[in-house]
Amino acid sequence: MSPLFSRSAAPAEGGLPVWLRPLGLLAGAGLLLSLVPVLAVGFYIHPFGDDYIFGVPAYAALQSGDSLLAALLNTVRVYWFGWQGTFTGVLAMELMPDAFLWRGYAATPFVMAGMLLFSSGKLLHTLVRRWMGASLWYWLPLWAGLGFLIVQCMPDPAQSLYWWNGAALYTLFFALMVLLLDRLVNLALAKAPRRRNILLVECVLLAAAVSGGNFVTGLLTGLLLGLCWLAVLIWDRPRWRGATLVLAVYAVGFALCLAAPGNRVRQSTGEGLSPVEAVLRSLEQGWNDLSGLTTPVVWAVLLLLVPVLWKLSEKAPFSFSWPGAAAVLAFLLFAAQNAPHFYTMGEAGPGRIRDIVYFFYLWMLLVSEFWVLGWLHRRWSGPGPRTLTACTALAAALLMVILWKNAPWLTAGKAAAALADGSLAQYHQLMLERETQYRDPDQARVYYAPAMGAQPRLVFVYSVDDADPEAFPNIAARNFFGKEEVACRPDG
């Protein structure tokens, strides 16, 4: 095994702390329970607007019996020349569930939340269990804490959990980036040649997929892969060919995205900044986000994880040198995510972009916290077992109080409120009636009842009601279902 992944730097470990197992069980149960209202909302949501625009090729091909793959790839080509170069991103948006199965859209939050939790859990499992050799009970509270913050405190769940079009381009590709990092760590840890070859293929495929996603995750992934490549050259030189292949595949795919003529078409709809201005604004936005994204719930969860990370640092195979430099590097990577949208549109971006910035922010905080605690632990033995147990209990009690006070602002709190007050049920019924009209072959013109008044903010992205047949949501539905005209009922 390479020096980078040796375990010689780790001090001798003690037994499993008495508080760790119950903390892991409670944290895991809390995460699963918090997901119930979040996922239940999925049964009340419906496609609209961009969902229909990108879902047309798949739906039309399935209805006519034409080749589905040919329809999907042709649309990728059309968008590459006419609107955006994110080729795998367009492909993901085309896979809108209702294009394949009516009411399949309910799967949206299951797919998006599931991918976020699976990818974060997988990477943490590889780092904690495989690299550091720690118990499952170290991994479980870390995964539960990070997963809870990702799902429950994201700035805009409407765009990242309940809207396929926005989430498929951003949430999904962030999760794929995390899976790519997981595969890279597994590749570094693998000893058997056959296992290394399989992992290398997986890394190449994921790198190709992520390279064609959104530009925010794209830039961040390129920077992280570049750092991985440098790390291999310094500490694991015999494996430089594999690292170079992954980076080269990613670079080619990302360059293909950037070279698309359609990017200029889309960019012409906004006022972009110069490269220097975009970098400066990105740093400013990153600095502001350091305080703006860290809510009391985030602070409380990070505080509860201090004892876990403190004990875990005993097993870490490195010395935690230069904590200040590590924090600066983490901030620069975090702030760099803002650059693409500032460069193209002159602003930080909509909710779905702010969400993936927030997801990486949580990873940055967790890694920085671990690094600082590890650096301190290498120089101070720390509190005794009883003190650590008491601190864990106090941190857990504080978290419960903060969660109680902030419950209405959590995604689960918003979801529970919308389910309880009937607004989601009313919205669902109105949209279901509308879709029944859309799918009626005898109705060439559809004049639907308005749903805007019943649409809860939790699942609201933009208006789906308009009396003008040429309004974007009406055009989208008209094209998807092959109608002559679609509009909100004039007397509605």
Side-chain angles (χ1 to χ4, degrees):
M1 187 176 294
S2 71
L4 178 60
F5 294 95
S6 67
R7 294 184 44 81
S8 57
E13 62 177 86
L16 194 69
V18 66
W19 46 265
L20 191 56
R21 191 187 303 265
L23 177 63
L25 290 172
L26 290 173
L31 173 63
L32 294 178
L33 287 174
S34 72
L35 292 174
V36 172
V38 174
L39 298 177
V41 171
F43 298 104
Y44 297 85
I45 61 176
H46 297 263
F48 58 89
D50 298 85
D51 288 317
Y52 286 137
I53 291 294
F54 283 88
V56 164
Y59 184 74
L62 292 172
Q63 293 297 308
S64 63
D66 294 336
S67 170
L68 175 61
L69 181 60
L72 295 175
L73 295 179
N74 180 65
T75 303
V76 170
R77 179 189 63 81
V78 170
Y79 273 90
W80 193 83
F81 282 100
W83 186 242
Q84 61 189 95
T86 52
F87 51 93
T88 51
V90 171
L91 185 61
M93 290 187 286
E94 288 185 85
L95 301 178
M96 193 271 290
D98 261 34
F100 300 87
L101 177 68
W102 188 17
R103 298 299 300 129
Y105 204 77
T108 301
F110 289 86
V111 172
M112 301 309 165
M115 284 297 296
L116 287 172
L117 293 174
F118 172 73
S119 61
S120 60
K122 189 69 181 67
L123 179 55
L124 280 173
H125 188 273
T126 297
L127 294 173
V128 173
R129 300 278 285 130
R130 294 207 60 220
W131 188 16
M132 300 184 199
S135 164
L136 175 74
W137 299 106
Y138 284 94
W139 167 80
L140 184 54
L142 292 175
W143 173 66
L146 179 62
F148 182 88
L149 292 178
I150 286 175
V151 175
Q152 300 298 336
C153 298
M154 65 174 66
D156 197 338
Q159 296 197 28
S160 295
L161 285 181
Y162 301 123
W163 184 34
W164 179 271
N165 187 262
L169 185 59
Y170 291 96
T171 304
L172 183 61
F173 280 91
F174 181 88
L176 290 176
M177 179 197 73
V178 176
L179 285 178
L180 171 59
L181 296 177
D182 169 73
R183 296 292 84 190
L184 286 170
V185 177
N186 274 280
L187 178 60
L189 292 168
K191 298 179 180 179
R194 183 173 181 274
R195 173 67 173 163
R196 288 202 302 267
N197 291 335
I198 292 173
L199 286 167
L200 181 59
V201 171
E202 293 176 354
C203 288
V204 168
L205 292 176
L206 281 168
V210 177
S211 71
N214 68 81
F215 291 118
V216 178
T217 301
L219 176 60
L220 177 61
T221 304
L223 293 173
L224 291 172
L225 287 179
L227 290 174
C228 290
W229 181 75
L230 288 175
V232 169
L233 289 185
I234 296 172
W235 289 294
D236 201 9
R237 189 176 291 272
R239 300 189 184 183
W240 70 270
R241 291 181 180 84
T244 303
L245 175 62
V246 175
L247 181 60
V249 168
Y250 182 82
V252 170
F254 196 53
L256 186 62
C257 272
L258 295 174
N263 292 333
R264 291 188 292 274
V265 177
R266 186 167 188 173
Q267 191 173 347
S268 66
T269 63
E271 292 289 336
L273 302 178
S274 69
V276 174
E277 289 175 324
V279 169
L280 294 177
R281 287 294 302 278
S282 298
L283 293 171
E284 179 185 7
Q285 181 68 43
W287 182 258
N288 292 336
D289 285 338
L290 287 178
S291 59
L293 292 177
T294 311
T295 63
V297 176
V298 172
W299 279 118
V301 171
L302 291 177
L303 181 63
L304 180 60
L305 294 179
V306 166
V308 181
L309 295 172
W310 178 268
K311 295 298 294 182
L312 181 63
S313 67
E314 297 175 357
K315 309 171 186 300
F318 40 82
S319 61
F320 297 99
S321 302
W322 302 95
V328 170
L329 176 61
F331 171 75
L332 292 176
L333 290 170
F334 164 65
Q337 296 175 98
N338 298 306
H341 211 266
F342 273 120
Y343 176 69
T344 57
M345 296 295 173
E347 59 183 17
R352 53 195 179 274
I353 290 181
R354 304 314 305 157
D355 281 342
I356 61 172
V357 170
Y358 166 74
F359 300 154
F360 185 72
Y361 182 54
L362 293 177
W363 276 101
M364 180 192 74
L365 288 179
L366 189 64
V367 171
S368 298
E369 181 182 17
F370 181 53
W371 201 272
V372 170
L373 289 171
W375 177 84
L376 183 61
H377 201 1
R378 292 291 189 268
R379 290 151 182 82
W380 175 49
S381 60
R386 292 185 178 179
T387 303
L388 208 56
T389 301
C391 290
T392 304
L394 288 173
L398 177 62
L399 176 60
M400 292 301 102
V401 173
I402 291 177
L403 287 177
W404 178 263
K405 288 184 171 291
N406 290 271
W409 292 277
L410 301 178
T411 304
K414 298 172 184 176
L419 290 166
D421 65 18
S423 58
L424 270 174
Q426 184 183 2
Y427 167 69
H428 167 60
Q429 186 58 40
L430 288 168
M431 294 298 287
L432 198 59
E433 292 172 1
R434 183 182 302 186
E435 290 173 7
T436 302
Q437 291 179 276
Y438 289 157
R439 293 176 181 273
D440 185 350
D442 296 327
Q443 291 193 44
R445 291 181 171 84
V446 174
Y447 301 103
Y448 54 81
M452 175 68 125
Q455 191 170 19
R457 178 62 185 90
L458 179 64
V459 299
F460 174 75
V461 178
Y462 53 77
S463 175
V464 297
D465 301 328
D466 204 303
D468 181 6
E470 296 306 313
F472 173 71
N474 293 332
I475 294 175
R478 183 186 72 199
N479 292 343
F480 186 89
F481 292 101
K483 300 299 181 182
E484 294 180 10
E485 187 171 270
V486 170
C488 185
R489 189 171 59 221
D491 59 350

